[in-house]
Amino acid sequence: MKYRSILFFAPAIFLLNSQLFSQSPSPDPVSEVAVSPISRDILRTVEDNTPLNRPAERAAWDALFRYLRQENQKDLDVAAETVGFIALNRQPVEYRGRLVRVTGHCQRCVFRPQPEEPGPFDDMNEPESEPKHRKGYFEAWVLVADRKDVPICVCLLDVPDGFPLGESINEPVTVTGFSYKKQLFLSADGEEVVTPTLLAKSLYWNPAAPMTLNETRRHSAQRTAYVTVATVILFWFVYRLWRRGVHFGPAGGYAKRGKNGSREPIRFDLSAAAKKREKEEKEANFDGVIRIPGQKGKTVSEKEDQETVAERTSIVSDEKTTIIGREDTSRKSPLDPDRLVAWFGPIVMAMGLSFGVTGPGLHAAIESKEPIINAEYTREFMVEMDALEWETLGDPAIPWEQQRDAVMLMFGHLRRDVSESFLRDNVTRRFSADTPGLPLSSLVRDPSQFRGKAFELCGHVVRVDEIPLDLRERNELLVPCIYRCRFLVDGMESEQPAEILTVFAPDAWKRGEPIRERAGVTGIFIKRVYKDENAAPARKLTPEEPVGIEEIFEGDVGLMPLLVASNVRWYPDTFLGNLGMDVGTLEQVPALKLTDLKQKELKVSRSLQLLTRNQILVRAFRITEHDQDAFYGLLQAARNTPAGLIEQEARQILKSEGKTRTSAVDLFNRPDETRGKPALLTGTAKRVLRLLVDDPEVQTLFGIDHYYEIQLFTKDSQRNPITVCVTSLPKGMPTGSDAEYNEPITVAAFPYKLWIYESSAELDSGDGNKPNYAPLLVGREPIWEPREVLRSPLFGENLPNSVKAALSFGIFAVLFVVWIAFRMTKRKRS
C-alpha cells in the first residue's frame, strides 16, 4: 500500500513534465532587421557567377564588413534568418545584403591576406605573430545538410580561439552573416563551380555535432522521461521521510512527529532580528506622516482614505508624492534628468521637426518627383506629338485607323516602358457599379479635361473584333493582331459604352459575335469615336485644315470614349474567376505536356503564335518574367480565399468524379486540363523553403513579399516530387531542406503548369544531367499532421504553453487533494 501513492501520482507527473520540457521546434522568426542597412545601389554592383574579389565590388565588400565590425554579434543573431544552400543558391539577388544563418561542418579554413587597397581591415594594427592578427580575412568552406557535394564559402573577420586552421578539417559550426553573392571558383577536378558566399563577423564553434530535427525531438522526449523518473524518485524520498516522522517546517527547518502523531514545532530565537528591526526604524526616524509636495503645511495621516489623498495630489501632476522624515528632500536638483527632458525635449523635437520639414529629405523628394499620367505625359511620352497633332488626334471625325502610327507607338510604350503598378497608381477615376458619381459619359461631354489620363473600367465585354497588323507592326509588338472590344460598365449599360483597343484578349471570347464576359480594364483615354461607324461623317486627315471640333460637331450624341490598354482582364463565372483572379493571364503561360516536347508545332494561344519554338518551351517549363501576372495572381487569389474553401471545392469536384484524392498522374500527364481546377493532395513534405519576393512591382500589385515552396511526395507520384507554393505555413511547422526533413501534410491548391525544378542530390530521381519536371501548384496553407505525439501529448498545438502548464498543474492539484482525502478517510476508519 505504501507504493500506491507513487503509482497514483506518476501519470500526473509525466504529463506535467511533458508539457514543461517537450517543446516542438518552430521556424526561426524573421525580423525586419534582416534586411541589410547597406544601400541597394552599392549592392547592385555585385555580380553573381563571378570570382570573389572583383574591383567593381570593393565598395559593397567594404561596406558590409565595416557594418559587421561595428555591430554586436548578438544583435546580428537576433536579426538573422536560418537558411540552407538551396535557398541561397536559387535566390542570390533576393538574399543579397540580408542577414542569414547557416549550420554545418567546416571542411576548410585558411587565412587570406587582404590586398593592398584600403579596406575595413586597415585599423588592425596588432602584432603579426599569428595569422589571425594580420590584415586579411578567414576563408571558411562550410558543408550544410541540404547539399553534400558543394560547400558554402564564408569570409570571416575572426575565428574563435583554438579553432583549427587547415585544408582538411571537419568542425561543426554555425555562422551568421550577410549573403553576398554566388562565387565562381575552380574545384579540385578543375571544373568551374558556383556556390553562395557569406560575409560574417565570426562563427560559433561547437565540438559536438549539431543535432538534426528528428534528433532534437528525440532528445526532448528523452529529457522528459529523465525528468519524470527524477521527480518520481524525489517524491518517493519525501514520502519515505514523511512516513518516518520527518516533515519540513515553514521556516526552513524540520520537526519530528511525536508518539501521538502530533508535530512538535521548533522554536527559533527571534530577539536578534527584533533588535535589528528596531534599530533600522530608529535610524530612519520615520514619524508616520505623508507630506504632499507643493502644499505647505499640509500633511496626511496614514489612516486617511486613499481617495482623499489622490484628490489632494491630483493638482500636482509633475511631482510624485514622497514619504519623507523631518528634513524636506522634495526639492529636485537642477541637473535632474526629468527637468532636463522637460526643458530640452521640446527644443530637440522642434529642431528635428524643422530638419525633417526643410532638410535634404524634402528637397530630394522634390527633385525626384515622379511623373503622372496626364495629357502632357501622354502627348510627349506615349504618342510623341506636338500640341497641334495632339488636337488632331482627338478629332472624332477622323477614324483612329488613319492614326494607326500613334496608336501603335502608344502600344509599344505601354508594353515596354509603363508598368502596371504605375498605371494603376495614376488612375484618375474608377467606373463601376459600386462607385457612383461621375458618369462615363463625362469623358464624351468634356474630352479636353480627361484626354490623356488613365481610367479603370469594371463591367462586361459584349463584342470583340480582331484587327490584323502588317509585318512592321507585328515585329514591333510581337503579336499577330490587336483587338477592339466594346465595353459596358456595370450599372451604365443604357447610358454609355466604351471602345477599348488592346493587344490581348482571351482566346475563349468569340470574335465578331455578341458575348457577355465579366471583365476589367485600365487604359488611357485618347479620343472620342462614333458608336455606329456608318453614322460617322467621312473625313480624312488633313493637317492643313484648321481644327474646330467643337464648332463642327455640336453635342455628343452617338459618341463614346476610346481607350488604349495593354490587356483586358477576364473574370469568368468559375471558382477561380469569382476569387478575383484574372484568368486571361494564364494564356500567356503555355501549359504543355511532356509529350509535346516531341512535337514540331506547339499548341499555344493566339497571342503567342509569333514566338519561336524555343521561346515557347522556355515560357512553358521555366519561371520567367512572363509568369508574374499569372503566378502571383494565383498566389494572391489563394491568400484572399477563406480558410478551407479551396479544400471544400476540391472535395466537391472529387466527389462528382468518384475520387477521394487528386491523381498525381493527371497532374503530370494533363497539365492543360487540370490547370486552375482545385486539387487535393496528401503526402510527405521533403523540403519546405521560404522564398523571398524582392520585386517592387510584385509587392505593389499583389502585396506579396514571400511565399513557401513545398516539395511533396504522394503515394502515386512514383518518387517524383510535386511542387506546391503556399502563402503561409501552419503555426509551428518548421522549414527545412535536409535529408532528415519529413513532415506529413494535406494541401488543396490550384494546378499551374509543369516546370523544371532545381533539385538536390536527395531529390534527384534520375540522371542529374537531365531536367527534372514536376507539377507546380499554388495554394493557401497546408494542413500539417505532425507525427510526434509527445510534442503535445494532452492538449494539442492549439493552446499556448502557459495554458497547457496551468492545466497540468491543475490536474496535479486535483489528484493531490483526492489523495489527501483518501488518506484522511483511511485514518478515520482505522
Side-chain angles (χ1 to χ4, degrees):
M1 293 295 296
K2 62 183 180 180
Y3 299 106
R4 288 182 181 178
S5 57
I6 299 177
L7 299 177
F8 185 78
F9 280 105
I13 296 172
F14 178 79
L15 292 175
L16 177 62
N17 292 328
S18 65
Q19 297 299 325
L20 295 179
F21 295 97
S22 62
Q23 299 178 356
S24 59
S26 58
D28 294 335
V30 182
S31 174
E32 295 295 336
V33 191
V35 181
S36 172
I38 307 303
S39 172
R40 302 299 299 179
D41 295 333
I42 298 179
L43 296 178
R44 289 191 185 98
T45 61
V46 181
E47 295 184 7
D48 295 309
N49 305 326
T50 57
L52 178 61
N53 292 316
R54 295 178 61 246
E57 301 171 354
R58 188 57 189 269
W61 171 280
D62 293 346
L64 290 174
F65 266 126
R66 190 177 299 110
Y67 184 85
L68 288 171
R69 289 182 59 85
Q70 296 173 355
E71 291 298 317
N72 190 356
Q73 183 66 44
K74 293 184 178 179
D75 297 335
L76 299 176
D77 296 336
V78 172
E81 172 189 359
T82 301
V83 296
F85 181 95
I86 299 176
L88 296 175
N89 187 63
R90 287 183 54 183
Q91 299 188 100
V93 178
E94 288 78 5
Y95 274 101
R96 180 168 295 132
R98 291 178 179 265
L99 284 170
V100 297
R101 182 188 303 109
V102 296
T103 299
H105 285 74
C106 183
Q107 305 294 312
R108 182 177 63 182
C109 185
V110 295
F111 179 80
R112 301 293 186 191
Q114 187 70 6
E116 296 298 330
E117 292 84 354
F121 305 93
D122 293 344
D123 55 349
M124 299 179 62
N125 298 321
E126 299 186 18
E128 299 185 357
S129 58
E130 297 182 8
K132 65 175 293 183
H133 293 143
R134 295 201 300 266
K135 297 180 180 180
Y137 65 95
F138 292 88
E139 183 183 88
W141 298 83
V142 181
L143 201 63
V144 296
D146 61 341
R147 191 65 185 264
K148 297 295 185 181
D149 55 342
V150 179
I152 293 177
C153 179
V154 182
C155 300
L156 304 164
L157 285 172
D158 198 1
V159 295
D161 294 336
F163 187 81
L165 302 178
E167 297 288 341
S168 180
I169 60 177
N170 188 17
E171 299 294 335
V173 296
T174 298
V175 183
T176 299
F178 286 113
S179 177
Y180 183 52
K181 65 182 293 185
K182 287 177 65 176
Q183 176 191 168
L184 176 66
F185 68 98
L186 293 178
S187 64
D189 300 332
E191 298 180 358
E192 292 186 350
V193 184
V194 291
T195 185
T197 302
L198 307 182
L199 306 184
K201 188 182 184 74
S202 184
L203 55 84
Y204 291 101
W205 175 37
N206 183 12
M211 292 185 296
T212 62
L213 182 63
N214 292 336
E215 290 176 348
T216 303
R217 295 171 179 171
R218 185 168 61 252
H219 280 258
S220 178
Q222 294 176 357
R223 184 168 59 251
T224 302
Y226 294 155
V227 173
T228 301
V229 172
T231 307
V232 171
I233 294 176
L234 179 61
F235 178 80
W236 175 81
F237 179 73
V238 174
Y239 174 77
R240 294 294 297 173
L241 290 178
W242 181 82
R243 292 290 295 175
R244 294 193 176 190
V246 178
H247 77 280
F248 292 91
Y254 65 92
K256 293 186 177 181
R257 295 164 58 93
K259 295 182 180 180
N260 57 355
S262 61
R263 294 185 176 89
E264 298 177 0
I266 300 178
R267 301 183 181 276
F268 295 92
D269 186 10
L270 302 178
S271 58
K275 293 179 180 179
K276 183 178 180 180
R277 184 167 60 253
E278 285 183 16
K279 183 178 180 182
E280 291 176 353
E281 292 178 356
K282 186 176 181 180
E283 291 176 355
N285 195 19
F286 176 69
D287 57 1
V289 175
I290 301 178
R291 288 184 173 83
I292 303 175
Q295 300 184 18
K296 185 177 180 181
K298 294 187 178 181
T299 60
V300 180
S301 175
E302 287 182 326
K303 297 182 180 181
E304 277 194 74
D305 188 7
Q306 297 298 328
E307 296 180 357
T308 306
V309 177
E311 292 177 358
R312 293 182 181 179
T313 57
S314 60
I315 60 175
V316 185
S317 58
D318 58 339
E319 298 186 30
K320 298 182 179 179
T321 302
T322 56
I323 300 178
I324 59 176
R326 295 180 179 177
E327 184 179 357
D328 188 1
T329 59
S330 62
R331 188 171 300 173
K332 294 185 177 181
S333 171
L335 298 180
D336 187 78
D338 294 338
R339 288 177 176 262
L340 293 176
V341 172
W343 279 98
F344 291 98
I347 300 176
V348 175
M349 291 178 62
M351 293 175 60
L353 184 61
S354 175
F355 181 81
V357 172
T358 62
L362 182 61
H363 295 290
I366 295 176
E367 293 175 359
S368 62
K369 182 180 179 181
E370 295 185 356
I372 59 175
I373 298 179
N374 52 20
E376 182 181 0
Y377 176 85
T378 303
R379 178 177 64 83
E380 296 180 356
F381 178 73
M382 303 290 288
V383 295
E384 302 177 7
M385 291 182 171
D386 56 23
L388 181 60
E389 293 173 333
W390 175 251
E391 292 298 330
T392 305
L393 179 64
D395 189 346
I398 302 176
W400 72 267
E401 287 84 357
Q402 299 183 26
Q403 302 164 329
R404 288 175 67 106
D405 291 341
V407 174
M408 296 305 158
L409 185 62
M410 193 170 182
F411 274 137
H413 284 295
L414 282 174
R415 290 171 63 88
R416 294 188 305 266
D417 305 323
V418 180
S419 64
E420 186 69 17
S421 62
F422 174 70
L423 187 63
R424 294 187 185 182
D425 289 341
N426 285 273
V427 167
T428 302
R429 181 165 179 80
R430 183 175 185 266
F431 295 101
S432 63
D434 56 352
T435 55
L438 188 69
L440 185 62
S441 58
S442 301
L443 303 183
V444 179
R445 291 195 297 266
D446 191 6
S448 60
Q449 179 182 354
F450 301 107
R451 283 185 62 208
K453 297 182 179 180
F455 296 90
E456 182 178 357
L457 282 64
C458 299
H460 292 79
V461 172
V462 296
R463 185 183 177 88
V464 177
D465 295 301
E466 286 188 2
I467 301 175
L469 302 177
D470 57 28
L471 182 59
R472 179 182 62 84
E473 295 170 340
R474 287 187 178 188
N475 294 334
E476 290 179 356
L477 299 181
L478 296 178
V479 291
C481 62
I482 61 175
Y483 302 92
R484 181 174 57 194
C485 303
R486 182 66 60 89
F487 198 97
L488 297 180
V489 176
D490 289 339
M492 302 181 183
E493 288 87 347
S494 61
E495 181 182 352
Q496 181 66 67
E499 196 87 339
I500 308 296
L501 291 179
T502 179
V503 180
F504 171 77
D507 287 351
W509 294 357
K510 296 180 180 180
R511 301 328 192 223
E513 299 181 10
I515 60 175
R516 188 171 181 83
E517 297 290 345
R518 187 172 53 175
V521 64
T522 303
I524 299 177
F525 169 53
I526 59 171
K527 68 180 301 177
R528 301 177 297 174
V529 295
Y530 278 89
K531 302 176 186 178
D532 187 359
E533 297 179 357
N534 298 325
R539 183 180 178 206
K540 294 184 179 181
L541 180 61
T542 55
E544 295 80 7
E545 182 179 356
V547 178
I549 298 175
E550 301 300 333
E551 299 178 359
I552 298 175
F553 302 99
E554 297 180 357
D556 52 13
V557 179
L559 295 175
M560 60 182 175
L562 176 67
L563 285 80
V564 177
S566 59
N567 69 308
V568 177
R569 301 184 293 273
W570 181 32
Y571 307 106
D573 190 15
T574 60
F575 180 71
L576 197 55
N578 294 330
L579 294 177
M581 166 69 184
D582 180 11
V583 180
T585 57
L586 296 176
E587 293 187 6
Q588 300 297 312
V589 182
L592 301 182
K593 304 183 291 292
L594 293 179
T595 55
D596 294 334
L597 296 173
K598 302 178 181 179
Q599 304 294 330
K600 292 183 179 180
E601 295 184 0
L602 302 175
K603 185 179 179 181
V604 295
S605 63
R606 183 163 174 76
S607 60
L608 303 179
Q609 289 179 354
L610 294 184
L611 300 179
T612 63
R613 186 176 185 276
N614 185 59
Q615 290 174 335
I616 294 175
L617 292 178
V618 170
R619 283 201 186 190
F621 297 109
R622 298 284 186 181
I623 297 296
T624 66
E625 67 274 7
H626 303 286
D627 290 89
Q628 173 178 299
D629 294 335
F631 178 74
Y632 291 109
L634 271 177
L635 273 177
Q636 184 187 40
R639 183 194 59 188
N640 298 336
T641 305
L645 186 59
I646 303 178
E647 179 185 357
Q648 180 182 352
E649 182 69 17
R651 291 187 184 276
Q652 291 179 359
I653 296 175
L654 292 172
K655 185 178 180 180
S656 63
E657 298 175 353
K659 302 177 182 178
T660 57
R661 291 290 185 271
T662 302
S663 173
V665 179
D666 295 339
L667 298 178
F668 277 93
N669 297 335
R670 297 190 299 164
D672 53 340
E673 299 179 13
T674 58
R675 168 179 279 185
K677 180 181 176 182
L680 186 64
L681 300 170
T682 299
T684 303
K686 294 289 188 179
R687 179 204 297 170
V688 176
L689 297 178
R690 184 178 184 270
L691 302 182
L692 304 177
V693 179
D694 202 27
D695 189 352
E697 180 78 3
V698 175
Q699 295 179 1
T700 303
L701 288 178
F702 306 100
I704 297 174
D705 58 1
H706 74 280
Y707 62 94
Y708 298 90
E709 180 186 288
I710 302 175
Q711 294 287 359
L712 178 66
F713 290 81
T714 61
K715 292 182 179 180
D716 58 346
S717 64
Q718 302 177 6
R719 300 182 63 184
N720 295 308
I722 298 175
T723 305
V724 184
C725 298
V726 296
T727 58
S728 61
L729 294 179
K731 182 179 180 181
M733 182 176 177
T735 59
S737 56
D738 57 357
E740 299 292 333
Y741 193 88
N742 188 12
E743 297 293 338
I745 62 171
T746 298
V747 61
F750 298 102
Y752 181 51
K753 69 175 183 178
L754 282 180
W755 78 308
I756 300 175
Y757 66 93
E758 297 182 14
S759 64
S760 61
E762 291 79 5
L763 295 178
D764 285 337
S765 57
D767 189 359
N769 297 325
K770 295 182 179 180
N772 301 277
Y773 295 91
L776 178 61
L777 293 85
V778 175
R780 184 178 184 271
E781 181 179 288
I783 301 175
W784 181 38
E785 303 170 359
R787 300 178 184 273
E788 291 73 21
V789 180
L790 184 62
R791 183 183 305 176
S792 186
L794 185 60
F795 308 113
E797 294 291 341
N798 297 326
L799 296 178
N801 291 333
S802 59
V803 178
K804 297 175 187 177
L807 292 175
S808 300
F809 277 115
I811 293 175
F812 185 84
V814 170
L815 292 177
F816 183 76
V817 172
V818 172
W819 179 73
I820 293 294
F822 172 76
R823 297 292 298 176
M824 294 178 63
T825 305
K826 184 178 178 182
R827 285 185 181 181
K828 291 180 179 179
R829 291 179 180 178
S830 61

